[in-house]
Amino acid sequence: MPAKESGPSVKKKGRRARLLVLVLVLALLAGLGCGAYWSVDTVRASFPQTTGSLKVPGLTGTVDVKRDEHGIPQLYADNDEDLFRAQGFVHAQDRFWEMDVRRHMTSGRLSEMFGSGQVETDAFLRTLGWRQVAQEEYDKKLAPETKKYLQAYADGVNAWLKGKSGKDLSVEHAALKISNDYKPEQWTPVDSVAWLKAMAWDLRGNMQDEIDRSLMSNKLAQAQIDELYPAYPFDRNKPIVEGGTVAGGKYAPQGTAGAGSSSTGTGTGATGTGAGAGTGTGSTTGTGAGTGSQATPNGGTNPATGLADNASAQGAAVGLRTQLTALSKTLDDIPAILGPNGSGIGSNSWVVSGKYTTTGKPLLANDPHLSPQLPSVWYQMGLHCRAVSAKCQYDVAGFTFSGMPGVVIGHNADIAWGMTNLGADVTDLYLEQVRPEGYVYDNKVVPFTIREEEIKVAGGKSKKITVRTTNNGPLISDRSEQLETVGSRAPVPSSAPDRGTGYAVALRWTALDPGKSMDAVFKLDRAKDFASFRAAAADFEVPSQNLIYADNKGPSGNIGYQAPGRIPVRGQGDGRMPAPGWDPKYAWKGGRDGNAGYIPQNELPWELNPQRGYIVTANQAVTESAPATAAGAGAATGTGASTGTATGASGPAGAGKYPYVLTTDWGYGARSQRINDLIEAKIKDSGKISTDDMRTMQMDNSSEIAALLTPMLAKIPVSDPDVRSAQKLLEGWNYTQENDSAAAAYFNAVWRNILKLAFGDKMPKELRVTDSCMNVIEEGTGPNDDLAKTVRECGTRGPDSAQPDGGDRWFEVVRRLVKDEKSPWWTATPKTVHDKPIKTRDELFARAMEDARWELTAKLGKDQSTWSWGRLHQLTLKNQTIGKEGPGFMQWLLNRGPWNLGGGEATVNATGWNASSGYDVTWVPSMRMVVNLNDLDKSRWINLTGASGHAYDGNYTDQTTLWAKGELLDWPFGKDAVDKSTVDTLTLKP
């Protein structure tokens, strides 16, 4: 389909065109031999009934479902259970295919729908045990009221499902019924709870960084790795909260450290073969002692890691690399419901006090950045009690997840809230010394916790797997055939028993402990003030999110922030690298050893009505923490180098320093600081911010890295007239990435080639994108000289997670290196044997400009007047599963696009792309909203796609073109406003 710049915004427009396309599709299917089954009726059979009345068993009263022209429903009921029963019914009407696939994924049962190709994915998901944890949460953790709502919701889904199969469910189910006679099961409350595990998985924090740093150590020195993971720039990009710390067991937003407290010391060992000493900081007087250790020349044991040094350490690195490479591939194969996990990915939310708005009350904006899905992962909905009372407590509207009751992000009659990913480090990989009878821990062999799982396969024989779990979590390395030979090469500490079968990799993750996040959803939906909002946040354990808040009470309303979540307190190590699982010193203090616990909720950062008058969260650092442990602790490197740590008591480290480490892998603040700057510019000299100003900020396309590099690029001498012509595009450019900008297209191509030349070609193959091939010196063939033997080496990483991805971590890397014109990073091999090697920054930049020119010539043509960023940077919406991997005609039937987009990586209008793999959009603002606390009926919202999950329904993608333009829809909330916008009313009856 051609790229879209604009299109119809209501379902009546374009109906004839859609029907014509449908007729053509059916004609195509008939030509392929499928026409006997497929018809217009097949496609339309699952469209929802939106007028008249329907009987829904279990209701105690009537429920009205009022839809506007975009099919967005507002539900009205007289009691809570009827409200959530109706929500389940309506979700199923529009989105059951999405719900059905999602529950099979979270339970590791995709093979039951799609056959043997999903067995390995199911095995990995069964090993994680999402469904098992969700069941335990439902049985033991959730409040009785929550369980009652979950059951009502399930009853509503099943009421819709009763008697339906194949085409009555969706066109996708119709296709699946042809291939394997699939029939869906009844919906259960645990199906809903398990969705939170998938959400937590996609927002799990720094696990990929942990893997990547370990894999880099095979090819790069620790100092080089540190250059690629610089510290957060607190001097330039503001954290979310400033100046608070913990005093008396509570977080004080403007407080200082309590008297007599101590902090965590740090120490780092030297790298190399000489003697070295660690250093530490952080006692109550501002200095402290730490210890460091290094590789011992004679092959002793590294006390920092517990791994054998020297030759054994090199073997450990080989074994570890093999395991982590296999694990990374497995992670690439797991369906990402929310989006890729990497640098620059996140969300925006901010709230402005009424004293700085045109309305006199707060304005709150939110746009979570997630994977583009068709249908969108979000579903807009209002849940209203006709009269709010003890038996009917809800009057709330916002964005919901199909398959789960309640509203996740939105507002009720009293408060509004938004979310961004906090990015806390809630996962750790542990190396485990395995034996036939168990695993080694604290010099003892401990039996595995074992469970058997059976994976049923559509059209094939069932597969049985054994899941082995340690005190640090499940052995995820069991799920890769590549790991079976690791034990023959991996070393063990000199003090350990016989080698046995070597190392395995276990995952410790907060979401694998049962929690109460489902309780938090309902508490948020009915919160009345900041105190009840914080009480709800206390239960929002996973995934850990930044929660922002606004209400309309008082002269200017109130604004606030809370960092919730179950965030571990570590013993030794800082979570940046895999840790030795056999050493108790590296266990989580809140882990299965029964020690202290997670960071107490009362000690997590929060603030209410800060003096600056606004709060911005965009995945930047929450606050500045006191140092905790040395980077790199816990794993051997390929050179035998090691890093030591020294840990003191956890506690405040002085005024302005937060005593706990939430993570060391924040987003680097490019988006957040731009939002801060936009707000400051607007309120300067008594300026006020309007609802439309908030919308305009959401669409800001300014590029921070372009502002840094473009002046340098413009000064580089260029002799080739075609390259010089492209260089001229940058002259006078304002660094904004509009979809029609030729300058943005050329700059981003130059940026991509800078990253490839300076960093990508120096990465180990395990991080380079698949099919990115280059000649390298063959390992173990002698010295690196002119006679050295070379081999062709190709990358193995999937396109969404390959490095360098170009996110704001890479902005910070280049910002620091660009000052050193002769940094080794600026070296590159010549294109041909006749060219000179590249040795300086400007030489590399010149080469990148040349390569970018010819890349765009190949992609967009030689005529620069036809170039535009949007032609490169396209969004194609793909229906999950069948729309991505099904037969070609089904993909054509279900998918939509492309749309030419502006924005880009780490901009406020965050239409992400991975610089290693190309320019296509890989994650997006999945929805946008601006809540007006002065008049809720003047709030605005938009979804990425539409309410319907049914292809060719009028509301399938009716919001997408509006979304692409940055437009927002009216968001009625009060009964009069809802009635005015209603075009269809369906009454559900007992």
Side-chain angles (χ1 to χ4, degrees):
M1 295 182 183
K4 299 182 180 181
E5 300 289 349
S6 61
S9 59
V10 295
K11 61 184 178 182
K12 291 184 179 179
K13 289 186 178 181
R15 181 168 292 171
R16 289 183 179 178
R18 285 196 305 274
L19 291 175
L20 176 60
V21 171
L22 181 57
V23 169
L24 292 173
V25 171
L26 296 174
L28 174 65
L29 294 176
L32 294 173
C34 302
Y37 180 82
W38 294 87
S39 65
V40 172
D41 177 67
T42 302
V43 176
R44 286 183 164 181
S46 59
F47 286 8
Q49 178 179 336
T50 59
T51 59
S53 63
L54 288 170
K55 290 186 177 181
V56 177
L59 288 177
T60 61
T62 61
V63 179
D64 292 324
V65 181
K66 300 182 178 183
R67 295 180 185 255
D68 65 11
E69 63 180 356
H70 295 282
I72 300 171
Q74 305 278 347
L75 278 54
Y76 289 85
D78 292 320
N79 63 73
D80 293 341
E81 289 179 79
D82 279 359
L83 193 61
F84 294 118
R85 185 174 283 105
Q87 185 182 20
F89 186 91
V90 173
H91 272 167
Q93 276 189 308
D94 283 332
R95 298 285 191 91
F96 186 72
W97 171 255
E98 175 191 18
M99 295 164 60
D100 201 16
V101 171
R102 185 178 295 160
R103 67 165 165 175
H104 279 78
M105 192 198 78
T106 57
S107 58
R109 297 172 57 199
L110 289 170
S111 300
E112 295 179 22
M113 297 182 79
F114 305 110
S116 59
Q118 298 298 321
V119 168
E120 289 187 7
T121 295
D122 283 346
F124 185 80
L125 295 170
R126 297 281 188 101
T127 299
L128 292 179
W130 293 352
R131 176 76 183 198
Q132 180 186 27
V133 178
Q135 185 69 58
E136 193 172 349
E137 285 182 356
Y138 184 80
D139 292 341
K140 300 178 181 179
K141 291 287 186 178
L142 297 181
E145 185 178 53
T146 297
K147 295 167 73 170
K148 183 170 63 175
Y149 297 158
L150 287 164
Q151 186 61 60
Y153 181 91
D155 291 344
V157 175
N158 292 329
W160 178 84
L161 188 59
K162 186 177 181 180
K164 293 182 174 67
S165 65
K167 67 178 183 179
D168 299 323
L169 300 169
S170 70
V171 67
E172 297 94 333
H173 280 102
L176 209 60
K177 186 175 178 61
I178 294 175
S179 62
N180 63 21
D181 199 30
Y182 169 78
K183 295 179 181 179
E185 298 175 350
Q186 293 279 289
W187 193 266
T188 73
V190 180
D191 291 333
S192 298
V193 178
W195 158 242
L196 288 172
K197 301 304 171 187
M199 180 181 175
W201 175 253
D202 283 353
L203 302 175
R204 61 192 177 272
N206 78 333
M207 181 172 163
Q208 192 66 59
D209 287 324
E210 192 173 335
I211 292 171
D212 288 354
R213 279 189 289 262
S214 297
L215 293 172
M216 284 179 187
S217 67
N218 175 61
K219 193 169 183 178
L220 303 177
Q222 185 61 49
Q224 292 175 301
I225 296 173
D226 291 343
E227 285 185 303
L228 301 185
Y229 287 88
Y232 184 88
F234 286 100
D235 59 332
R236 194 175 69 256
N237 295 342
K238 296 177 183 178
I240 297 173
V241 299
E242 300 176 77
T245 189
V246 174
K250 294 183 179 181
Y251 181 81
Q254 300 297 326
T256 58
S261 58
S262 63
S263 72
T264 302
T266 67
T268 305
T271 300
T273 59
T279 60
T281 60
S283 73
T284 54
T285 61
T287 62
T291 62
S293 60
Q294 64 168 49
T296 55
N298 297 321
T301 300
N302 180 341
T305 65
L307 297 176
D309 276 324
N310 216 17
S312 292
Q314 187 173 4
V318 173
L320 177 59
R321 181 180 68 176
T322 304
Q323 296 184 48
L324 294 180
T325 300
L327 173 58
S328 186
K329 183 183 183 303
T330 300
L331 296 180
D332 278 343
D333 292 339
I334 301 303
I337 290 181
L338 300 184
N341 191 280
S343 175
I345 298 168
S347 305
N348 301 323
S349 67
W350 66 94
V351 60
V352 182
S353 168
K355 64 184 179 180
Y356 291 127
T357 68
T358 58
T359 66
K361 297 290 185 180
L363 294 172
L364 185 150
N366 195 191
D367 55 290
H369 306 157
L370 306 173
S371 176
Q373 302 279 351
L374 181 59
S376 166
V377 70
W378 300 107
Y379 185 93
Q380 297 149 288
M381 180 177 273
L383 301 173
H384 307 278
C385 290
R386 294 189 178 99
V388 176
S389 64
K391 73 172 185 176
C392 200
Q393 305 173 74
Y394 296 88
D395 189 16
V396 61
F399 293 86
T400 71
F401 287 136
S402 302
M404 197 177 91
V407 169
V408 178
I409 295 175
H411 70 82
N412 58 33
D414 298 293
I415 75 164
W417 68 94
M419 296 183 189
T420 63
N421 194 27
L422 193 150
D425 186 357
V426 296
T427 59
D428 276 344
L429 297 175
Y430 283 92
L431 302 182
E432 302 287 357
Q433 293 181 341
V434 297
R435 300 288 181 268
E437 67 274 24
Y439 60 98
V440 176
Y441 184 73
D442 197 16
N443 295 317
K444 301 180 181 67
V445 178
V446 181
F448 291 111
T449 300
I450 292 177
R451 72 176 189 274
E452 304 292 332
E453 296 272 357
E454 183 180 11
I455 299 172
K456 296 179 180 179
V457 182
K461 185 179 179 181
S462 296
K463 305 290 184 181
K464 292 184 178 181
I465 65 169
T466 300
V467 178
R468 303 187 295 173
T469 301
T470 74
N471 65 315
N472 290 315
L475 291 185
I476 54 178
S477 55
D478 282 352
R479 300 280 67 87
S480 172
E481 293 179 1
Q482 297 180 45
L483 303 182
E484 293 178 358
T485 61
V486 170
S488 62
R489 294 185 293 174
V492 295
S494 57
S495 59
D498 292 339
R499 178 178 301 274
T501 56
Y503 294 147
V505 179
L507 172 65
R508 183 76 174 98
W509 178 33
T510 55
L512 298 185
D513 294 335
K516 299 184 292 183
S517 293
M518 198 69 238
D519 287 345
V521 173
F522 297 111
K523 288 183 179 180
L524 276 174
D525 285 356
R526 59 177 186 260
K528 301 293 185 184
D529 51 30
F530 192 61
S532 53
F533 166 80
R534 291 193 68 207
D539 286 340
F540 208 104
E541 296 165 328
V542 291
S544 186
Q545 299 288 287
N546 295 306
L547 296 178
I548 60 168
Y549 166 93
D551 68 39
N552 56 11
K553 299 174 176 62
S556 302
N558 297 291
I559 63 172
Y561 166 81
Q562 176 68 60
R566 184 187 286 157
I567 302 172
V569 178
R570 290 173 174 83
Q572 196 163 327
D574 64 357
R576 288 173 60 87
M577 299 281 269
W582 54 84
D583 190 339
K585 293 192 296 293
Y586 287 86
W588 288 5
K589 290 186 177 180
R592 293 176 173 86
D593 285 354
N595 294 327
Y598 300 102
I599 299 175
Q601 179 69 26
N602 284 341
E603 298 183 18
L604 288 170
W606 63 274
E607 63 182 354
L608 179 66
N609 296 325
Q611 187 174 1
R612 63 184 175 276
Y614 61 89
I615 301 169
V616 175
T617 82
N619 315 110
Q620 77 272 38
V622 172
T623 187
E624 188 169 5
S625 297
T629 55
T637 68
T639 60
S642 66
T643 305
T645 64
T647 308
S650 178
K657 300 288 186 179
Y658 185 64
Y660 301 103
V661 173
L662 303 176
T663 186
T664 58
D665 289 308
W666 303 110
Y668 283 78
R671 284 180 288 106
S672 62
Q673 193 55 45
R674 176 62 176 170
I675 297 167
N676 275 304
D677 292 344
L678 290 171
I679 294 173
E680 286 288 347
K682 196 68 182 178
I683 66 178
K684 184 180 179 181
D685 300 325
S686 302
K688 302 286 187 179
I689 293 176
S690 68
T691 301
D692 197 57
D693 290 330
M694 300 284 274
R695 181 197 66 81
T696 301
M697 291 178 191
Q698 288 180 323
M699 295 301 296
D700 182 81
N701 287 329
S702 178
S703 169
E704 178 187 281
I705 194 63
L708 174 68
L709 296 184
T710 298
M712 300 179 189
L713 296 172
K715 294 177 182 178
I716 293 175
V718 174
S719 58
D720 187 297
D722 290 314
V723 179
R724 173 61 184 139
S725 178
Q727 185 186 36
K728 287 182 179 179
L729 292 172
L730 303 179
E731 297 175 1
W733 180 44
N734 63 357
Y735 319 130
T736 59
Q737 302 168 98
E738 304 300 333
N739 68 349
D740 61 354
S741 171
Y746 182 59
F747 172 80
N748 281 315
V750 174
W751 170 237
R752 179 174 184 247
N753 280 279
I754 288 173
L755 291 169
K756 177 182 183 296
L757 292 168
F759 308 106
D761 289 347
K762 300 176 180 69
M763 292 284 173
K765 66 180 180 180
E766 294 86 0
L767 271 69
R768 298 201 313 270
V769 69
T770 303
D771 298 330
S772 171
C773 301
M774 57 190 298
N775 293 326
V776 299
I777 303 298
E778 186 176 8
E779 292 184 16
T781 59
N784 182 4
D785 57 26
D786 290 343
L787 299 181
K789 184 179 180 180
T790 62
V791 295
R792 194 70 171 162
E793 181 186 81
C794 296
T796 61
R797 182 65 66 85
D800 285 346
S801 59
Q803 294 295 329
D805 62 16
D808 64 355
R809 172 165 68 87
W810 293 99
F811 289 14
E812 191 63 22
V813 168
V814 171
R815 180 186 295 280
R816 298 185 185 207
L817 291 175
V818 79
K819 301 171 186 177
D820 182 0
E821 296 184 22
K822 295 184 178 181
S823 166
W825 290 108
W826 301 130
T827 62
T829 56
K831 268 187 177 181
T832 70
V833 294
H834 303 293
D835 296 325
K836 295 180 179 179
I838 293 171
K839 296 182 178 180
T840 69
R841 179 197 69 194
D842 287 355
E843 288 175 356
L844 187 139
F845 282 10
R847 165 77 178 277
M849 292 171 68
E850 180 183 351
D851 290 352
R853 173 43 159 138
W854 302 123
E855 181 185 4
L856 293 198
T857 297
K859 291 180 178 293
L860 302 179
K862 188 173 182 180
D863 184 359
Q864 293 174 191
S865 67
T866 67
W867 289 6
S868 69
W869 175 226
R871 286 183 62 201
L872 280 177
H873 192 52
Q874 293 187 326
L875 168 68
T876 299
L877 293 172
K878 296 183 178 181
N879 183 283
Q880 60 181 334
T881 60
I882 292 179
K884 295 179 179 179
E885 298 181 2
F889 72 87
M890 286 299 298
Q891 293 186 39
W892 195 90
L893 177 70
L894 298 172
N895 298 342
R896 299 292 183 271
W899 283 263
N900 295 345
L901 299 186
E905 190 77 11
T907 62
V908 180
N909 181 23
T911 54
W913 54 288
N914 187 309
S916 286
S917 55
Y919 304 96
D920 287 343
V921 176
T922 58
W923 48 276
V924 295
S926 55
M927 63 79 161
R928 299 186 185 101
M929 75 175 193
V930 178
V931 181
N932 182 334
L933 273 298
N934 181 60
D935 185 347
L936 293 172
D937 289 330
K938 293 183 179 179
S939 300
R940 310 272 287 167
W941 61 354
I942 196 77
N943 205 350
L944 172 64
T945 63
S948 179
H950 301 290
Y952 294 95
D953 185 278
N955 301 128
Y956 190 47
T957 56
D958 60 322
Q959 297 185 50
T960 306
T961 297
L962 299 173
W963 170 92
K965 292 178 178 179
E967 297 181 22
L968 300 175
L969 302 176
D970 291 337
W971 182 355
F973 180 72
K975 187 176 184 304
D976 290 344
V978 170
D979 286 345
K980 186 176 180 180
S981 68
T982 298
V983 297
D984 287 335
T985 300
L986 172 69
T987 300
L988 304 179
K989 297 181 177 181

